[in-house]
Amino acid sequence: MQLVQTTRDALLKPLSTVAGIVERRHTLPILANILMRKEANKVSFIATDLEVQITTQAEFGVGAENESITVAARKLLDILRALPDTGDVKLALASNKLSVQTGKSRFALQTLAASEFPTVAQPEQWDVSLTLTQKSLRHLFNMVYFAMAQQDIRYYLNGMLMVFEPGRLRAVATDGHRLAHCSTDVEGITERHEVIVPRKTVLEMQRLLDDSDAPVSVDVAPGQIRFRFGDVELVSKLVEGKFPDFTRVIPTSYTRHFLVSRDALQGSLQRAAILTTDKFKGVRLQLAQNLMKISSSNAEQEEAQEELDIDYGHEPLDVGFNVSYLLDVLGNVKTEEVKWSVMPDQNASALITLPDDEQFKYVVMPMRI
């Protein structure tokens, strides 16, 4: 029975959308597959890793019959990518095999029953529902994702905190050494809710969202969050646990501030980082009258020194930082200058913000050099 007939690129688009979460190593063979659900001319593609589920659909089904099958995601994707972009691609089902045919190329792939595919059950009611632009949500994620922990034993740090409160949506991430916070104005929230979104979900949403004013709806229920935009629906489990109180980490009483060129600071830190090692990423920052000195050294007694002119009129300060943490934030903000706030204490954290923007804050702890 023929299921689909369309161009290679039209078929690649929905497959590429959902295949990003398919695990290469998996405990259940069915998780290497995607579910294809055909209802007349509508074809849905669903992938899941039991934590995240992505669904997208297109209208290139053939015939009035309904059919559902699962097929190996990577194999089908690799075949389609390797095919020449000439003529239509036909997908048909016969004897529990999916045939892929275009021109003189033909492939037969094994299938597994759709009834074995573990789709995520969704609640009938959602506690929070709001709509914002894809551009706003993507910006929110882009400004904090780099501070998420990776494989931390404190599992609640391996994700991003989303705080829903009347008029505002916040995103916060921390790995215990630095913290990033960003917020945006939204409508439709009546009461405060906090959820922790898994790292994988955040990275997948960054891949799927674009910088457009197209709407994305966000729904939250106990243990689950759902994003819907365009033809895509992403449902994810939430991380259980208590996220640290970020309001206690963000300094509010710092009085020493200075502006520094983002490009100049990023360039100086990148050069100083060359002489650091994988085990020790420390750089030394020395603040003096209108001057910032950046230096680094290694076990071979090699040294790097950089100087930047800044508008700083306070007492000298000598403090060390992990250069990767500083480069992460500078690589993601897009302003010409960043605002740096410090305390006259080499053990105090630094606060990096953006001029005329109260919504973004980045706190980084010092390190011993």
Side-chain angles (χ1 to χ4, degrees):
M1 179 177 70
Q2 191 167 338
L3 304 176
V4 168
Q5 180 170 342
T6 186
T7 63
R8 184 197 69 159
D9 288 350
L11 193 51
L12 268 173
K13 186 174 180 241
L15 278 168
S16 302
T17 297
V18 301
I21 62 163
V22 176
E23 296 283 1
R24 292 188 184 274
R25 290 193 294 266
H26 44 78
T27 51
L28 294 171
I30 194 84
L31 294 181
N33 286 15
I34 53 164
L35 173 62
M36 284 177 59
R37 214 179 250 162
K38 177 186 173 298
E39 296 173 351
N41 71 326
K42 280 193 175 177
V43 183
S44 300
F45 299 87
I46 304 172
T48 184
D49 64 356
L50 300 180
E51 301 290 324
V52 185
Q53 175 179 295
I54 303 181
T55 306
T56 187
Q57 58 184 25
E59 296 186 357
F60 43 48
V62 176
E65 304 92 343
N66 296 345
E67 185 65 66
S68 296
I69 55 123
T70 78
V71 65
R74 296 287 170 194
K75 286 178 185 174
L76 181 57
L77 206 54
D78 289 347
I79 287 168
L80 290 170
R81 284 175 176 156
L83 287 175
D85 189 15
T86 56
D88 282 358
V89 177
K90 297 175 185 175
L91 302 185
L93 187 62
S95 304
N96 293 327
K97 287 190 177 180
L98 181 74
S99 72
V100 184
Q101 187 175 359
T102 181
K104 295 183 179 179
S105 300
R106 185 187 177 99
F107 303 84
L109 298 175
Q110 285 286 1
T111 63
L112 290 172
S115 58
E116 294 180 31
F117 195 83
T119 53
V120 174
Q122 296 186 33
E124 292 182 9
Q125 280 193 313
W126 299 84
D127 296 338
V128 180
S129 292
L130 67 129
T131 302
L132 68 165
T133 63
Q134 291 196 40
K135 182 166 61 180
S136 296
L137 188 59
R138 190 167 191 250
H139 172 73
L140 207 59
F141 287 177
N142 284 349
M143 297 300 277
V144 305
Y145 81 96
F146 50 86
M148 291 187 293
Q150 293 188 55
Q151 298 178 325
D152 197 296
I153 192 168
R154 297 163 294 179
Y155 56 90
Y156 49 84
L157 298 184
N158 300 320
M160 184 185 75
L161 178 72
M162 292 185 77
V163 183
F164 301 85
E165 51 193 30
R168 188 165 294 274
L169 173 60
R170 300 180 189 273
V172 186
T174 181
D175 60 5
H177 304 288
R178 35 75 180 272
L179 179 144
H181 166 283
C182 191
S183 65
T184 187
D185 297 334
V186 294
E187 296 177 359
I189 303 173
T190 55
E191 57 185 46
R192 183 183 172 93
H193 285 270
E194 290 190 6
V195 298
I196 305 174
V197 182
R199 176 186 176 83
K200 184 173 183 177
T201 302
V202 174
L203 299 181
E204 200 59 33
M205 284 297 296
Q206 285 179 280
R207 182 179 74 89
L208 296 173
L209 292 169
D210 56 37
D211 284 321
S212 72
D213 290 323
V216 50
S217 67
V218 184
D219 305 292
V220 178
Q224 202 171 91
I225 190 167
R226 179 177 70 183
F227 302 95
R228 289 178 296 169
F229 49 99
D231 293 322
V232 180
E233 176 188 271
L234 186 149
V235 181
S236 170
K237 288 185 178 178
L238 295 169
V239 179
E240 294 182 5
K242 179 66 177 165
F243 202 83
D245 183 358
F246 65 92
T247 59
R248 294 176 58 189
V249 178
I250 299 173
T252 56
S253 58
Y254 282 16
T255 54
R256 300 185 173 190
H257 315 285
F258 60 91
L259 296 176
V260 59
S261 162
R262 185 189 69 88
D263 284 348
L265 179 59
Q266 186 180 33
S268 293
L269 289 170
Q270 284 171 336
R271 291 187 290 273
I274 294 170
L275 294 188
T276 62
T277 62
D278 289 339
K279 287 184 178 179
F280 187 74
K281 286 284 182 187
V283 292
R284 187 177 176 186
L285 270 61
Q286 293 168 287
L287 301 178
Q289 191 71 31
N290 296 331
L291 187 68
M292 175 191 278
K293 287 185 179 180
I294 300 170
S295 59
S296 65
S297 59
N298 56 30
E300 284 83 45
Q301 296 187 340
E302 297 169 326
E303 293 182 6
Q305 290 195 349
E306 296 274 337
E307 289 189 2
L308 290 173
D309 294 326
I310 58 172
D311 186 11
Y312 181 83
H314 306 287
E315 296 163 25
L317 181 65
D318 189 342
V319 62
F321 291 105
N322 181 317
V323 69
S324 299
Y325 296 165
L326 300 179
L327 288 173
D328 279 347
V329 67
L330 295 173
N332 283 278
V333 301
K334 303 302 179 201
T335 54
E336 288 187 10
E337 293 182 309
V338 295
K339 183 179 177 182
W340 201 298
S341 304
V342 294
M343 284 280 277
D345 177 1
Q346 63 179 13
N347 296 314
S349 58
L351 173 64
I352 298 173
T353 53
L354 307 179
D356 306 319
D357 184 356
E358 290 296 311
Q359 297 183 329
F360 176 75
K361 297 177 176 68
Y362 185 70
V363 182
V364 57
M365 297 296 293
M367 66 185 297
R368 292 189 181 279
I369 298 294

